[in-house]
Amino acid sequence: MPLSATYAARRDQMFPILPPDDIARMRRFGEAATFAAGERVVRAGDVAPGLIVIVSGQVEVSEDGGGDRHETIVVHGPGSFAGELAQLSDRPSLVTAEAIEPVEAFVIPSRRLRDLMVQEANLGERVMRALILRRVGLLESGGIGPIIIGHQNSGDLLRLQGFLARSGHPHRALDADTDSCAKTLVERFHVDPHHLPIVLCPDGQLLHNPGERELARCLGLVGPINGSKLYDVAIIGAGPAGLAAAVYAASEGLSVIVLDCRAFGGQAGASARIENYLGFPTGISGMALMARAYNQAQKFGVEMVIPNEAEHLSIAAGDGGRQYRLRTGGDETVHARAVIVASGARYRRLEVANLAQFEGSSVHYWASPIEARLCTGQEVALVGAGNSAGQAAVYLASQVKTVWLLVRGSGLEASMSRYLIERIEAQPNIKLLPETTVTALVGQGENLESIRWCNRQGEEGECLIRHLFLFIGADPNTDWLAHSDIALDEKGFIRTGATAGQERHLLETSRRGVFAIGDVRSGSVKRVAAAVGEGAQVVAALHAYLAGQSRQPSVPQSMRTT
């Protein structure tokens, strides 16, 4: 395996050898198993039986890159264990494991692995750290997971890359125009170049320009929802607020399911670096912070159904009192005793006639390494004056020739943190254009060639720009709540507490048992720390509501399901 930075620096933590006392403590969570020499323990793309703790013998873990490509990652011996983050949630293995001599072991299935994390805190910490570092190593290696083949600047290629990157799933992207392996695969599968991109999944399935949900199902990232199960709470949205609520609720024994229409992290995941979040004096990327929360939620047994979109909320009468019914975009149903809406906001779009023509390929709402690679050495434009815009501008400035920062106001002081303003002022290749708006986009097909702008003095200009980044605020993601009797304010944000028009908990909506937290809530502070705080705070209100459900309140006929 290519030596990743994490593998080189933290190998002992990535592949620890546990002493006999720790092995003995782990044994009660597993079941004895034996493997003959040459027997395959798990194949990449198949669901592993669980964490394999080796008592005697050796197991080789390898990555299979297709064809004759086979690279050893590590050989596990007595006292070590085979597995990574996929084993926390019964997802398909990213690697292949094979016994290279007779092996005695015990297997800890996913459910019991989560029990180990909670009941054996110190030991669980070592195991959890190893699983996370192994996933980081696989991400850094760049030689494992599904293969995406497409044209380099294709919006659909970037869409699929972005989804897998935000999902923390290793993958490879090959340019169909320049990569010899990509050309060979296109010829082998008789794919018309106009029908790219394609995705070759580890289990051999070939997908033609799939949607995110189709790709996630192929990779085993999401499975079918158990429509007969009644959850204590369904959380809509996996941003900072939703993940915080999931962690606190699940850690206190509630059964939790989380849905999000895109990927975990929300808009916070788009931040290249957050430097004013408590406890991280050197800063942390939004993606890294949200990945930690996501893994933490899985540790406590939260069921993640991402991507899957909530489309309608209604009340269904059930045994034991009121139940809520959520219909999803996958034509599935979730039943829960309570609902927490943390669906956040949708990125606001420029009012330019042909914007959709360039979205995904040349117009971006996210400044990740994927977009940055497309812009290396170029001049780019960025519109926005908030902290997200500032973080993106600083990050892009380290990758591109020039960042043209367009803002409607006279400056940044009214909307951006002072530390970001100072950093922007210190970057010689960030050029601020105050009181300026984009008036037109010019290009061919999905490729942007230039932007036209106008300032408040009436001066107009045109810049040769191939990539435009938009961080101009967001609108509440509440359209799906239509006909759900949830009170919204004039801008579409959810009213809670006294503003909902009735006596309610601060975070409870006009519908009993439905709570709203984070950016989607009217009057909320639009900061990551505030969202996390609301996610923690809502769990106390949730407990109080669930405790009162023995009264079995009546269900309005207008909200009953048929």
Side-chain angles (χ1 to χ4, degrees), residues 356-491:
Q357 177 182 340
F358 305 108
E359 285 180 315
S361 57
S362 301
V363 173
H364 312 284
Y365 299 88
W366 187 286
S368 76
I370 294 173
E371 290 81 16
R373 282 194 294 270
L374 295 174
C375 309
T376 302
Q378 301 178 27
E379 295 192 6
V380 303
L382 190 152
V383 182
N387 278 1
S388 294
Q391 291 158 355
V394 170
Y395 170 67
L396 290 170
S398 67
Q399 310 288 322
V400 305
K401 180 180 178 181
T402 306
V403 178
W404 294 96
L405 182 56
L406 285 68
V407 301
R408 288 185 301 173
S410 58
L412 303 173
E413 288 75 10
S415 55
M416 189 178 292
S417 295
R418 186 64 212 173
Y419 82 91
L420 281 171
I421 295 175
E422 292 176 357
R423 188 155 298 172
I424 287 171
E425 292 173 345
Q427 299 295 322
N429 63 334
I430 298 180
K431 309 296 184 183
L432 180 63
L433 296 178
E435 300 181 337
T436 302
T437 58
V438 175
T439 57
L441 305 179
V442 180
Q444 298 291 326
E446 59 180 12
N447 297 315
L448 183 66
E449 296 173 356
S450 66
I451 66 169
R452 293 174 184 163
W453 53 265
C454 180
N455 64 24
R456 190 167 295 178
Q457 289 73 40
E459 298 171 334
E460 298 182 348
E462 184 169 349
C463 299
L464 298 179
I465 295 290
R466 293 172 57 190
H467 293 279
L468 172 65
F469 293 82
L470 301 179
F471 291 84
I472 54 176
D475 297 313
N477 185 15
T478 53
D479 290 349
W480 64 280
L481 288 171
H483 312 298
S484 296
D485 288 352
I486 303 294
L488 308 178
D489 68 13
E490 64 280 0
K491 295 182 179 179

Side-chain angles (χ1 to χ4, degrees), residues 19-32:
D21 286 350
D22 285 346
I23 297 295
R25 286 158 59 198
M26 295 176 73
R27 190 182 292 272
R28 68 186 178 93
F29 296 95
E31 299 176 356

Side-chain angles (χ1 to χ4, degrees), residues 188-380:
R188 177 185 301 173
F189 292 109
H190 307 290
V191 178
D192 187 321
H194 294 95
H195 294 161
L196 295 173
I198 57 173
V199 181
L200 182 60
C201 297
D203 64 358
Q205 289 189 66
L206 182 68
L207 306 180
H208 294 265
N209 193 19
E212 287 89 334
R213 188 183 304 143
E214 181 185 0
L215 176 57
R217 289 200 181 280
C218 182
L219 298 177
L221 297 181
V222 291
I225 295 173
N226 183 354
S228 63
K229 180 176 180 178
L230 177 63
Y231 295 88
D232 289 321
V233 61
I235 300 175
I236 314 305
L243 289 176
V247 168
Y248 281 96
S251 68
E252 295 180 12
L254 299 180
S255 59
V256 182
I257 185 170
V258 175
L259 289 82
D260 194 289
C261 61
R262 294 182 181 86
F264 68 82
Q267 293 192 45
S271 296
R273 179 160 294 272
I274 302 172
E275 298 196 46
N276 58 354
Y277 191 79
L278 188 67
F280 293 90
T282 60
I284 185 171
S285 73
M287 187 63 202
L289 182 64
M290 292 298 97
R292 294 183 183 195
Y294 178 77
N295 293 331
Q296 191 175 17
Q298 291 191 102
K299 165 186 169 180
F300 289 115
V302 173
E303 185 174 337
M304 297 288 184
V305 186
I306 304 173
N308 203 337
E309 186 172 14
E311 291 191 337
H312 183 67
L313 172 66
S314 58
I315 293 179
D319 295 337
R322 178 182 310 207
Q323 298 177 14
Y324 284 96
R325 179 181 184 271
L326 281 162
R327 189 181 70 242
T328 76
D331 198 26
E332 295 178 293
T333 301
V334 175
H335 291 94
R337 299 172 64 198
V339 175
I340 296 175
V341 181
S343 50
R346 298 184 302 268
Y347 294 110
R348 194 168 292 155
R349 304 170 74 239
L350 274 181
E351 294 183 3
V352 177
N354 59 344
L355 178 67
Q357 177 182 340
F358 305 108
E359 285 180 315
S361 57
S362 301
V363 173
H364 312 284
Y365 299 88
W366 187 286
S368 76
I370 294 173
E371 290 81 16
R373 282 194 294 270
L374 295 174
C375 309
T376 302
Q378 301 178 27
E379 295 192 6
V380 303

